Amino acid sequence: MEYNFSAIEPGIRQFWKEHEVYKVLNDSAQPKYYVLDMFPYPSGSGLHVGHPLGYIASDIVARYKKSKGFNVLHPMGFDAFGLPAEQYAIETGQHPSATTEKNIKRYKEQLDNIGFCYDWSREVKTSDPEYYRWTQWIFIQLFKSWYNPLTQKAESIDSLIRILEENGNAGIPAPGDTALQVSAADWGSIDEAARRDVLMQYRLAYLDYAEVWWCDALGTVLANDEVVNGVSERGGHPVERKRMRQWFLRITAYADRLLSGLDGLEWSEAMKEMQRNWIGRSEGAAVQFEVKDSTARIEVFTTRPDTIFGVDFMVLAPEHELVARITTADRMAEVEQYQAYVRSRSERERMAEKKITGCFTGAFAIHPVTGREIPVWISEYVLAGYGTGAIMAVPAGDDRDHGFARHFDIPVTNIFGEQYNGEQAYTAKDAVLENSGFISGQKVPEAAAAVLDYLEQKGIGTRKVNYKLRDAGFSRQRYWGEPFPVVYKGDIPYTIDEAEAALPEPLQQLPVVLPHVESYRPGPEGEGPLANIDSYLWVTNTRGEQLRRETNTMPGYAGSSWYFLRYMDPGNAGFLAGKAAADYWNQVDLYVGGTEHAVGHLLYARLWTKVLCDLGYLSFDEPFRKLLNQGMIQGSTRFVYRIKGTSTFVSFNLKDQYETDPIRVDVSLVDGVTLDTEAFKAWRPDFAGAGFILEDGKYICGSETEKMSKSKYNVVNPDDIVRQYGADTFRMYEMFLGPIEMSKPWDTKGIEGVHKFLKRFWRLFQDEQQGLAVTDEQPSEQELKVLHRTIKKVEEDTERFSFNTAVSQFMICVNELTDLKCRKRAVLDPLVRVIAPYAPHMAEELWQQLGHKESVVAAAYPAWEERYVVDNTKVYPVAINGKTRTEMEFALDAPQADIEAAVMSSEKVQHYLEGKTPKKVIFVKGRMINIVL
RNA sequence: GCGGGUGUGGUGAAAUUGGUAGACACGCUAGACUUAGGAUCUAGUGCCGCGAGGCAUGGGGGUUCGAGUCCCUCCACCCGCACCA
């Protein structure tokens, strides 16, 4: 019988479903293994062939681990809140919950088509109130917690209150305002509002001000994504930065633990390095500069205190709060103009800008050591959010400062003597300081230490650790996200369960359900759409006070920061995940996803896990033990070439004879590189009258590798591939394309090889006329060698996620067994179990045909035997001066002397020796022989 | 600008520890079978060369008996950069 995948696969999927073979229980005597895919966002365009790459890999691992005796948790769900659904709602009026449901349904169909072994009974959706009640609950924990620097842990805010009552905040500076000093007496005498202001400076979820993109024409706040080239993507309206009060998560409190926690994780070094760089820990000094004729003090952070004698000017971020205070009257107009320019610029643009811009404020700072007056400038290259938003500029020792000084003709003080050439800053750390007062003649480390001692002694500076990491903005002025469980009494925020808010009992309960809206228009003053709904906005408490609800919603990463916990115990109505379930499943053993989440999602999920662990809700503080990054599958775009000013298209190899415009053509109209000209004419009305200049009777397209996207007409839908070749072929082909972590282009043409292989695999079992043709004969030594080597190789390759080489091994195995005409059960029965994780449908079908009643999913992975995988001879490459000239076979246990003698006397070697005596013979047992002349 | 990654045949790639570069496939060429072939099978296929042989892992240099693999340097491309998820 032919391999008829389209008849086999749906039935097999039905069989799995009916027998609930993917159902996972939380209690099992088997060891657990938790393999997780990164949460998909269910976009309206569905899956393309790039998305399932990681899902196939994790599915193979999940099935393989099951066959190795593990109780495997392999769930799937949806990150269902997000901007695209809301944007779509604004454009079409359809409610995001409706479109999201539709998209999820489509995603699930597409995923099921590929035969993944998800336990769908554990599916979670972040937009489900039963899910987001726990997202809100975690937010409340964050709000009611602070990071105790003495215990290095998050603790309940109550422990802070007790400390404040007894001792004030001496020794535990507020991370939100390090200058804040509150004695026990102060704490006792201030009112509730003032106390809550103090606590706000400590909370892990806190309110502060931050800038957002504001578009006046649209009356709304825009995401970075929605701002393109300095104008709104929709409509092209001007945008500017606007300060708004927003929620933040104090991730900076965890900077050191997020850094040190990386050491124990099995993530790629590249991934860890990205997180380290993102956290950006640097040691240096905070130094105060007085401002001439002003009470203002400018604080800077520097990692090179040794260069302090080379400070020639200061630069403040244009939005620095001191700018307005210190700018002199005559410079005011110009400074304001420059500030307006910078307000229109994104951080990215500012950092990447090569053109040097800046503006003198008219103010002078006083050098804290020499007393010299140094000009204070503002420039976009200094960012308000990094360090203190101000720098001491040392042009002799810093490239950017040097460029700035030259551009604005600021004289450069040379503190490096001969080492500085006047053309370029001298940035090497091996410098010897010169012209630098009491540190002249010293090297960088000792000079830095000396300066630090001096500054600390004089009280004008301190040793300081700085982080590039910034606290995470947690408010979105949007509708389609988790509502905050927060109400305001005047300006003071309370979580709904706090006694001080005095809400009636039902209003204290989670979840705070996202109200239905008819319009997604933003509220007044840049607030989100929730501000338009009076019935939601205002609540009356038991004291008859009118409280206003928070109108922002949470960002996309809120729900995805803890979803891996919910899968463990998705039905739990009493807690986000029951203790027993969380202890059993524990950390995710393998997390599969793209590198694009390196510093966003992965950092936030680590933070939430650490907080929940500190507060006693979890027994582990790192969520993802091992991380596997899958590369992208790129699109292969096809081009046709239209002769300028005509509707004639010329084939690829003839196009240079004409002047042409390349035009992207939908990949579905092309077979390999050959265009279906009739389909092309039918594709778009403006091509209906197209003419073609062919080569060899065909129209050949050009091709280029690009991101797979609708607009490039290079999207390939897995449904189409599955329909044409079957899910097993699709799965194996995706794996066969190359190493999982590498990016590679999709080429549908190449799938034939894998499909042919599966047909050959099938034919090992099947006779074309009679069907199953497996025999009970004793297998030969050679057949067993093929089998056992395959078991071993596939096992090793699967363990190290080298799926492409595992597929190759299957091909080699089938080629060899076909040559041996092997139809023996003793070989083929184990082979079905080996291939089952890769091609589960075919394996299940053959498994049943072999007479097994249980699903192959439950079958054990076969063990390989040493005696079938060892060789006792080796064909050695024999090289002369490193160049391989011949091959000779020897027993592996042959004595070296015998081998050397045989090699030297061989005719081929004698030919190359040309009578000379070799200087040396290198023999590496089991590897090679090299004769050095 | 900063950070991370990747460069091997016409194409996707393999080479797991410094030890036969190109396994396994796609494509291409020739052939067999066939009423037919977008089925199946056989043979060939890195480049140059009639051949002996030479040259080849982005470019250049180095270490080594031996380098795709280690070191230095240069180049090209891809991804991320804090409100897309």
Side-chain angles (χ1 to χ4, degrees), chain A residues 280-442:
Chain A
R281 185 181 198 274
S282 57
E283 291 179 14
V287 187
Q288 320 273 339
F289 284 71
E290 312 245 334
V291 178
K292 188 189 169 197
D293 302 329
S294 165
T295 54
R297 295 176 126 213
I298 300 168
E299 184 173 293
V300 300
F301 174 79
T302 175
T303 56
R304 291 288 303 273
D306 55 290
T307 62
I308 196 157
F309 287 92
V311 177
D312 289 318
F313 58 100
M314 317 268 306
V315 186
L316 304 188
E319 58 272 60
H320 195 288
E321 55 178 8
L322 285 179
V323 174
R325 242 175 92 189
I326 64 171
T327 300
T328 55
D330 60 314
R331 302 292 306 159
M332 196 57 90
E334 210 170 318
V335 164
E336 284 177 354
Q337 199 189 341
Y338 185 72
Q339 287 176 313
Y341 155 76
V342 174
R343 264 198 300 279
S344 71
R345 308 259 295 161
S346 72
E347 265 191 27
R348 183 102 49 92
E349 287 171 319
R350 287 171 61 172
M351 286 188 290
E353 183 58 70
K354 284 191 187 140
K355 207 171 74 211
I356 296 165
T357 68
C359 185
F360 179 46
T361 62
F364 288 87
I366 309 294
H367 193 287
V369 183
T370 65
R372 190 156 73 93
E373 290 184 7
I374 46 182
V376 181
W377 289 67
I378 58 173
S379 174
E380 62 178 327
Y381 82 87
V382 177
L383 301 176
Y386 185 51
T388 61
I391 61 157
M392 55 176 229
V394 182
D398 181 277
D399 288 328
R400 235 172 347 178
D401 296 348
H402 195 262
F404 195 87
R406 291 183 68 131
H407 187 262
F408 289 109
D409 284 324
I410 303 168
V412 176
T413 303
N414 181 6
I415 50 169
F416 298 114
E418 298 277 291
Q419 301 159 100
Y420 170 63
N421 61 14
E423 291 298 313
Q424 247 187 327
Y426 186 76
T427 56
K429 297 277 167 63
D430 59 357
V432 176
L433 279 305
E434 293 186 28
N435 190 23
S436 291
F438 61 89
I439 52 167
S440 293
Q442 296 186 0

Side-chain angles (χ1 to χ4, degrees), chain A residues 42 56 128 267 322 362 372 392 608 764 798 904:
Chain A
I56 295 169
D128 180 348
W267 295 14
L322 285 179
R372 190 156 73 93
M392 55 176 229
W608 287 42
L764 288 174
T798 307
M904 294 314 294

Side-chain angles (χ1 to χ4, degrees), chain A residues 194-209:
Chain A
R195 285 184 181 182
R196 290 189 72 98
D197 275 346
V198 170
L199 296 180
M200 192 59 92
Q201 306 307 317
Y202 288 88
R203 294 182 192 275
L204 291 182
Y206 66 96
L207 277 174
D208 198 354
Y209 289 86

Side-chain angles (χ1 to χ4, degrees), chain A residues 229-261:
Chain A
N229 300 324
V231 295
S232 68
E233 190 180 28
R234 270 181 297 143
H237 305 293
V239 293
E240 61 171 0
R241 307 295 279 169
K242 182 187 171 89
R243 232 167 105 84
M244 290 189 80
R245 200 180 187 207
Q246 329 211 20
W247 287 101
F248 287 85
L249 300 189
R250 206 179 297 284
I251 191 170
T252 49
Y254 278 85
D256 273 322
R257 280 177 57 191
L258 289 169
L259 211 46
S260 59

Side-chain angles (χ1 to χ4, degrees), chain A residues 674-693:
Chain A
T674 310
L675 180 71
D676 179 338
T677 52
E678 288 309 309
F680 178 72
K681 285 201 252 183
W683 182 42
R684 274 168 33 183
D686 45 327
F687 297 149
F692 301 95
I693 298 174

Side-chain angles (χ1 to χ4, degrees), chain A residues 761 764-765 774-791 813-814 816-818 820-835 847 850 862 868:
Chain A
F761 189 97
L764 288 174
F765 295 74
V774 173
T775 71
D776 287 320
E777 285 171 79
Q778 283 298 310
S780 69
E781 178 84 5
Q782 213 179 348
E783 287 164 344
L784 288 170
K785 271 194 164 181
V786 173
L787 170 68
H788 284 260
R789 277 161 206 251
T790 300
I791 298 171
C813 171
V814 167
E816 290 177 350
L817 291 182
T818 303
L820 293 168
K821 300 191 166 47
C822 173
R823 287 193 179 284
K824 294 162 187 164
R825 180 183 296 272
V827 171
L828 298 182
D829 187 284
L831 200 55
V832 169
R833 285 177 274 152
V834 177
I835 206 172
W847 189 246
L850 287 173
Y868 295 119

Side-chain angles (χ1 to χ4, degrees), chain A residues 145-202:
Chain A
S145 306
W146 68 298
Y147 192 81
N148 185 338
L150 304 174
T151 58
Q152 294 281 302
K153 278 173 74 170
E155 292 177 8
S156 161
I157 201 81
D158 296 337
S159 77
L160 175 65
I161 293 172
R162 277 197 300 279
I163 292 170
L164 292 170
E165 282 168 353
E166 285 165 27
N167 305 315
N169 77 340
I172 44 165
D177 178 4
T178 45
L180 182 72
Q181 291 187 359
V182 185
S183 67
D186 293 338
W187 181 259
S189 63
I190 57 178
D191 66 7
E192 189 191 333
R195 285 184 181 182
R196 290 189 72 98
D197 275 346
V198 170
L199 296 180
M200 192 59 92
Q201 306 307 317
Y202 288 88

Side-chain angles (χ1 to χ4, degrees), chain A residues 601-766:
Chain A
H601 161 64
L602 285 170
L603 211 48
Y604 298 131
R606 293 182 64 214
L607 171 72
W608 287 42
T609 304
K610 286 185 189 299
V611 173
L612 289 172
C613 177
D614 286 355
L615 297 177
Y617 298 113
L618 293 177
S619 55
F620 51 93
D621 84 333
E622 283 290 347
F624 314 121
R625 194 170 62 75
K626 190 168 194 144
L627 185 67
L628 175 63
N629 293 118
Q630 96 252 15
M632 264 198 316
I633 289 192
Q634 293 145 322
S636 186
T637 312
R638 295 290 182 265
F639 289 87
V640 292
Y641 302 89
R642 183 169 58 195
I643 299 172
K644 269 191 196 300
T646 72
S647 56
T648 301
F649 295 82
V650 57
S651 189
F652 179 74
N653 293 302
L654 305 172
K655 73 177 195 312
D656 293 345
Q657 302 166 22
Y658 305 86
E659 209 179 319
T660 59
D661 293 314
I663 295 169
R664 288 191 177 79
V665 55
D666 198 298
V667 279
S668 65
L669 310 179
V670 182
D671 177 24
V673 289
T674 310
L675 180 71
D676 179 338
T677 52
E678 288 309 309
F680 178 72
K681 285 201 252 183
W683 182 42
R684 274 168 33 183
D686 45 327
F687 297 149
F692 301 95
I693 298 174
L694 308 177
E695 53 182 301
D696 299 334
K698 291 173 181 172
Y699 188 97
I700 303 299
C701 296
S703 59
E704 215 170 286
T705 300
E706 300 183 294
K707 202 177 168 133
M708 198 171 274
S709 101
K710 250 183 174 173
S711 64
K712 296 189 164 63
Y713 301 113
N714 60 7
V715 173
V716 179
N717 186 330
D719 298 347
D720 296 336
I721 303 297
V722 169
R723 197 175 311 117
Q724 213 178 336
Y725 297 98
D728 287 338
T729 299
F730 176 66
R731 291 166 62 106
M732 290 195 92
Y733 182 54
E734 289 238 338
M735 293 299 100
F736 186 63
L737 278 176
I740 187 78
E741 65 276 3
M742 225 63 95
S743 289
K744 54 244 157 183
W746 175 267
D747 176 16
T748 302
K749 201 86 185 161
I751 203 169
E752 300 281 353
V754 175
H755 192 57
K756 232 188 291 185
F757 150 74
L758 281 172
K759 285 200 232 173
R760 283 160 66 85
F761 189 97
W762 179 261
R763 279 203 298 270
L764 288 174
F765 295 74
Q766 307 287 338

